[in-house]
Structures are given as structure tokens and as C-alpha cells.
Amino acid sequence: MALTKHIEELKKKREEVQKGGGEKASEKQVALGKMLARARINALLDDRSFQEYDMFVQHEARDFDMAKKVLHGDGVIIGTGTITGQPVCIFAQDFTVAGGSLGLMHSRKIVKIMEHALKLKVPLIGINDSGGARIQEGVNSLAGYGEIFFRNTISSGVIPQISVILGPCAGGAVYSPALTDFVFVVENISKMFITGPEVIKTVLGEEISMEDLGGARVHSEISGNAHFFASSEIECFDQIKKLISLIPSNNCVKAKKLESKPPCHDCQIENIVPDDPAQPYDVRDVVKAVVDSSDFFEIHEHWARNMVIGFGRMNGVTCGFVCNQPLVLAGVLDVDSSDKAARFIRYCDAFNIPIVTFVDLPGYLPGIDQEHAGVIRHGAKILYAYSEATVPKLTIILRKAYGGGYIAMGSRHLRADFVFAWPTAEIAVMGPEGAANIIFRKEISEAEDPEKMRLQKVQEYKEKFANPYVAASKGYIDSVIEPAETRDILLHALELSMDKTISLPNKKHGVPPF
Ligand code: HXC
């Protein structure tokens, strides 16, 4: 009887907390097209797998009438659960409670679940929906953020960290997501910025909407802060589930291996690259023609589109694909595409994911804009990332591999384990047009018909260098292969290199060109 009374009391207390910020605030949240924090957790995790902790935590603030306020769970829900059976740690800020603002106890809850994730070596998922530092708690809020940023950094490369932006994420608060591995945003719901529209109006006298400043499209297409874009919260959760199924839980294990499945029949790999080397094609068709079930999970789909990155399985093993995209800017390397590829390569390396590179690029993008934006510094990141990576590295040169682009894109010289080239490959210091104009300048200008002479010299250069056989004759590539042989050769190379061991010189850490 006594026990029943206690259980009834517990149930009542739980119910009270689960009301969050109350009916009015919840209605406002739903009217904005946003799910409530608990509903989000339940939609993302396996049915009934969520175990909540620190439900009864209360803030301890006393200034500005805070002593009178009860903030259920202090505006954040933390716990553990599973996603398709894989354990995860999760927190979700509850905007209905004081705008999900971050006070001391709120931050301590987040820190607690971050420490659990690191100790248990499972992915951490953070759902951000907050007005930022709780103004009434002053420096305690700032301290809270600092503790979170520190743990984000220490956990980096040990466990996957995933940030989901499902509401405002403003001011310094944005730096926790920015320190994590993958950021998910949802159209019309996500808002991320350092200084909001009001500050911009005061300081700069400019009017701008939150959406134009830091909405989901801005971060998916322009800034590159977001890796995944969805049009609804449910679609976003499906993307997270897919990602979790592809990556390992921590840096000491490999991603779960599935049964090998062939690519779809309609992916005719030999028909993808056009005969005319000036014609573009979609490199994602090449990836789909080699991965299991033609299932390619693209990351950063809408940003720096001249580079394609993402996960796919080969023989059931998760691989990271890094590919130039001839459809966009002929697949050149520039500031953003170098950043995009370099960070992904480092992610794959940290989490034991083999890297497959498809090469087709005319080199680095020329021009004053790129030079002034730091293409030297950013471009160096990709060299650093490939050189440092010790996971299996397999490279296929599909067509152009000119100049610095040849070296940067997973070449033998940066220690690729296997490098193959299709017969359509052109490997040279620069494109035939530019090369002929430079080395035959005198002959061309002195010729009776300079244009005829120029075309003749371009052709001469092409025959000599714009093919894979010069590189093959020096052992820089291992084999010239038919496109139709690509999957089988990659599977074989992958199997051979899965357990390779590499030792690098002892050091605390390198100094990459960040
Ligand atoms: C305390 C806050 C709060 C905050 C919102 N609330 N933000 N309380 N500290 N930072 C409260 C509101 O007072 C309100 O309480 C409730 O949450 C809902 O907020 P609304 O304003 O009614 O919601 P909405 O109209 O949807 O506007 C959302 C918003 C706005 C755009 C996020 O609340 C806003 O601008 N908040 C302040 C954002 C901000 O400047 N944060 C500090 C950034 S500086 P009641 O009781 O009325 O329901 C920062 C530094 C961090 O974060 C540095 C880390 C290194």
C-alpha cells in the first residue's frame, strides 16, 4: 500500500515535468511547425528505448525573480536509447521552458550526457532549440558553454558527435554544433547565427530576416555549416538514422559490416564518361555503379558541389567516397571544396573508414578571388588530410588529373594503397591547351598560320602526355583498367588493405593548415 503511494507520487511528478513549459508554450511551439522536445526524442530513437536522466533537476538561479520560477528539467532533456539497435546518448533542449535557454544546471545536464557518451563510447546526438545563454544567469551560462565546447573538442575523433538544429541556435551557442562532426538542419525551422538581426540593425543599420541571415538553406548552400538539409523534422530523423547505420560507434571499432549486395543492373558504368573530354557527367553515377545496392549517402549535397563526398558500402563495408564533380565548375578544387574534402577525409581516418577517391579535375581554380580567399592555405588541407590518413586509400583516375589536382586527389605520392586509371585518364602537369601555349609559344607565334600550328602542338602534347600510360610506365598508377572492372578491382584492393598497418613519426600532433 505504502509502495503504491510512492509510485503514484513518482508518476505525478513525472507527469508534471513532462508538461515542460506548459500548455501555452507547447501550443506556440506546435503552431510554429515544431515538434516538442520529448516527441523529437521518441521519433528519433527506437520505440520505448529512451531512458531519461536528471528529470527533476532544477535551476539554482536567484537573481531577477528567478527564485520563484520552476523550470522543468531546466529546459533540457537528457538520456540514452538506441537507433536501430545501436546505443546512443542524446540531449534535446526544450524551447517551451524559458526558451530552452542555457543556465548552469541545464549545461551540467548536457555535460553529464556528453561524459556518458565518451565513457560508453557511443555517438552523442544534440538537439538544439534555444534562445542561447540564459540572460539571468550571467557568467554561469557562459561557463556552461565553455564546459560543453571543451568536451566537444576532447570527444572529437573518439565518438561521433551529431548536432540537430531544430529552432534558434544563436550567439556563441553555435560553436558547440560547429565543433561536432555532422550538423542537420530543417527548412523554415533551423536558425543559426552569431549576431542576430537586431544587433545587425543596431550596429550596421541593415535589416535582414533570421531566415536570410542563418536559415537552413543558407547553411546548407552558402556557409557549409550544415551537412544535411531536410524539409521536415521526420525526414531529418530518417537521415540521422541512416547516418548512424553507416558509421562506427567509436574510433576503436569498425562500422557494422552488412551482407554484400551488387549495384543495380541499370548502372552501366562504361557509358557514364562521355567520349568528348570537354563534356560533363555526374560522378555520383560512377559511385552508384560500384557501391552495394547503388546506395550512396551524400554529405554536404548542396555546398561546394564541385566536390562530392559521402558514404556507401562495398562488399558490406562502409567506405567514404571523395570525388571531383565534372558537372560543377568542371570539378576544380577551390577553397570550399578543399575544406569539404579535407574534413571528410579526416573523419573517415579517425573512424576507421576506408577512403575511395574518384579523380576528374582540371586542377585548382585560378583567379584573384580564390587567391585572396586563401586557396593556398585551404588547398593545402586536402594534401595534409590525405597524407596523414592511415586507413585504406584507393584511388581511381577517371579522366583528367592535371597539375596539383593530380597530386592532391589521393595520389600514390600521398600514399594511396592502390591507384588505378581508366583508359580515358589524362595525367599531366596541365591541360593540353595551356601547356601547348606555353612550351610552344615561339613556334606558334613565328608560324605562317599560328592557329594551325597551335592546334597541331596541342594534339602533339595530348598524344604524348594526356593519357594514363606515361604514369603507368613509371609505376605511379598500378594498373589501367576497363570501367567495367572497377567494382571487382576495388573490392579486391579493399580486402587486401583492410588490415594494413602504418606507422607515422612520434609527435604530439601535427600543425595542419587550419
Ligand atoms: C533567458 C530567454 C532567452 C535567454 C528566450 N528566453 N531567450 N530567457 N535567456 N537567452 C525566454 C523568453 O524570455 C520567453 O520567456 C521564452 O524564452 C520564449 O521566448 P520568446 O522570445 O517569446 O520566443 P520567440 O518569439 O520565438 O523568439 C525566440 C528568440 C528570442 C528569437 C530566440 O527569444 C530571442 O531573441 N532570445 C534572445 C536571444 C539571445 O540574444 N540570446 C543570448 C545570445 S548571447 P517567457 O517567460 O516570456 O515565455 C549568447 C552568448 C553565449 O548566447 C556565449 C557562449 C560562448
Side-chain angles (χ1 to χ4, degrees):
M1 197 64 182
L3 183 61
T4 315
K5 196 178 126 219
H6 289 305
I7 290 172
E8 284 309 314
E9 190 186 357
L10 170 64
K11 280 187 178 160
K12 239 194 226 161
K13 279 183 183 289
R14 278 184 179 164
E15 264 170 37
E16 194 56 30
V17 171
Q18 284 169 356
K19 286 181 188 157
E23 214 169 305
K24 223 170 124 201
S26 300
E27 277 169 7
K28 191 177 162 192
Q29 174 94 343
V30 172
L32 288 170
K34 294 162 69 182
M35 291 171 77
L36 296 172
R38 273 197 176 73
R40 285 170 170 165
I41 292 175
N42 289 329
L44 177 58
L45 300 187
D46 293 340
D47 204 21
R48 304 170 75 87
S49 72
F50 182 57
Q51 180 65 50
E52 184 170 347
Y53 311 119
D54 283 358
M55 187 184 218
F56 302 117
V57 159
Q58 263 304 318
H59 72 88
E60 293 174 355
R62 292 295 168 261
D63 294 328
F64 303 106
D65 280 347
M66 286 296 283
K68 293 185 217 145
K69 283 197 179 165
V70 174
L71 301 181
H72 288 309
D74 205 27
V76 64
I77 300 162
I78 65 164
T80 50
T82 57
I83 292 181
T84 47
Q86 195 167 321
V88 296
C89 286
I90 189 165
F91 71 83
Q93 292 179 310
D94 182 352
F95 194 85
T96 68
V97 179
S101 56
L102 184 138
L104 182 66
M105 298 309 285
H106 179 122
S107 71
R108 283 197 181 153
K109 284 180 71 172
I110 294 178
V111 162
K112 182 188 253 193
I113 204 66
M114 291 178 89
E115 288 184 344
H116 265 306
L118 188 59
K119 187 171 61 187
L120 306 174
K121 293 212 162 196
V122 300
L124 174 79
I125 301 171
I127 299 180
N128 295 261
D129 185 1
S130 165
R134 187 172 298 151
I135 295 162
Q136 299 91 327
E137 294 204 33
V139 71
N140 266 342
S141 308
L142 302 182
Y145 276 117
E147 296 292 334
I148 292 169
F149 301 162
F150 172 76
R151 282 164 183 82
N152 282 135
T153 308
I154 295 306
S155 303
S156 178
V158 183
I159 51 168
Q161 298 184 81
I162 291 168
S163 296
V164 199
I165 314 298
L166 295 182
C169 181
V174 295
Y175 284 112
S176 176
L179 286 165
T180 62
D181 302 313
F182 300 105
V183 176
F184 289 75
V185 292
V186 175
E187 186 153 36
N188 299 325
I189 290 180
S190 313
K191 315 271 184 271
M192 268 182 113
F193 42 78
I194 299 270
T195 45
E198 281 186 28
V199 177
I200 290 178
K201 194 172 167 196
T202 313
V203 178
L204 304 172
E206 290 169 11
E207 299 242 9
I208 186 159
S209 71
M210 258 202 256
E211 195 60 38
D212 290 341
L213 183 62
R217 282 192 187 276
V218 167
H219 290 304
S220 312
E221 295 170 13
I222 302 171
S223 73
N225 286 328
H227 301 79
F228 294 96
F229 172 90
S231 45
S232 70
E233 294 196 27
I234 293 298
E235 188 190 334
C236 171
F237 298 150
D238 286 341
Q239 291 172 342
I240 298 169
K241 289 177 198 178
K242 173 101 182 175
L243 176 67
I244 289 284
S245 75
L246 282 159
I247 57 178
S249 289
N250 61 64
N251 64 338
C252 297
V253 295
K254 289 183 177 157
K256 196 168 160 194
K257 190 174 174 192
L258 299 187
E259 206 180 304
S260 181
K261 294 204 174 129
C264 298
H265 290 306
D266 53 352
C267 293
Q268 300 289 337
I269 195 163
E270 52 284 311
N271 298 332
I272 297 170
V273 175
D275 286 335
D276 177 357
Q279 282 292 310
Y281 62 92
D282 191 339
V283 75
R284 290 172 295 194
D285 292 337
V286 180
V287 180
K288 286 180 195 160
V290 299
V291 294
D292 292 5
S293 309
S294 299
D295 188 5
F296 177 52
F297 188 56
E298 192 172 348
I299 301 167
H300 263 150
E301 184 183 346
H302 308 288
W303 178 64
R305 293 185 304 114
N306 39 329
M307 178 70 73
V308 168
I309 58 168
F311 295 121
R313 282 201 168 87
M314 304 264 295
N315 215 2
V317 174
T318 297
C319 295
F321 288 83
V322 181
C323 322
N324 307 118
Q325 172 58 292
L327 265 190
V328 181
L329 294 170
V332 286
L333 278 177
D334 58 5
V335 166
D336 286 346
S337 61
S338 299
D339 276 5
K340 174 172 170 177
R343 191 160 190 264
F344 182 61
I345 291 163
R346 284 177 73 92
Y347 183 86
C348 291
D349 189 43
F351 288 97
N352 314 310
I353 298 172
I355 298 163
V356 180
T357 304
F358 285 117
V359 186
D360 187 349
L361 82 164
Y364 281 89
L365 181 61
I368 189 168
D369 290 349
Q370 283 294 305
E371 296 292 349
H372 288 193
V375 71
I376 298 174
R377 184 165 47 88
H378 293 279
K381 293 178 189 174
I382 198 165
L383 299 168
Y384 195 104
Y386 267 119
S387 300
E388 193 189 39
T390 57
V391 289
K393 296 186 280 194
L394 317 177
T395 299
I396 311 272
I397 302 173
L398 305 176
R399 200 166 58 172
K400 300 181 187 105
Y402 287 138
Y406 157 73
I407 308 169
M409 290 301 294
S411 66
R412 156 71 18 86
H413 320 290
L414 307 186
R415 301 295 178 270
D417 298 296
F418 292 97
V419 183
F420 305 105
W422 284 7
T424 38
E426 301 173 17
I427 306 169
V429 169
M430 59 166 65
E433 300 277 339
N437 285 342
I438 294 170
I439 58 177
F440 302 116
R441 183 181 297 149
K442 209 158 161 231
E443 287 101 317
I444 293 171
S445 66
E446 287 171 1
E448 229 171 77
D449 183 344
E451 184 51 18
K452 193 173 160 202
M453 176 62 86
R454 199 184 65 79
L455 291 175
Q456 191 185 317
K457 292 296 178 190
V458 166
Q459 192 53 32
E460 210 176 288
Y461 182 89
K462 265 189 197 167
E463 278 161 23
K464 187 148 179 55
F465 290 119
N467 61 65
Y469 300 104
V470 181
S473 73
K474 296 173 194 308
Y476 296 150
I477 55 175
D478 297 303
S479 202
V480 182
I481 63 169
E482 290 179 37
E485 296 170 328
T486 307
R487 177 170 156 97
D488 284 347
I489 283 175
L490 280 176
L491 292 187
H492 179 67
L494 186 63
E495 186 144 347
L496 283 177
S497 44
M498 276 311 274
D499 295 320
K500 77 179 213 198
T501 49
I502 294 265
S503 63
L504 297 173
N506 251 344
K507 55 184 161 182
K508 185 174 176 189
H509 55 67
V511 188
F514 288 161

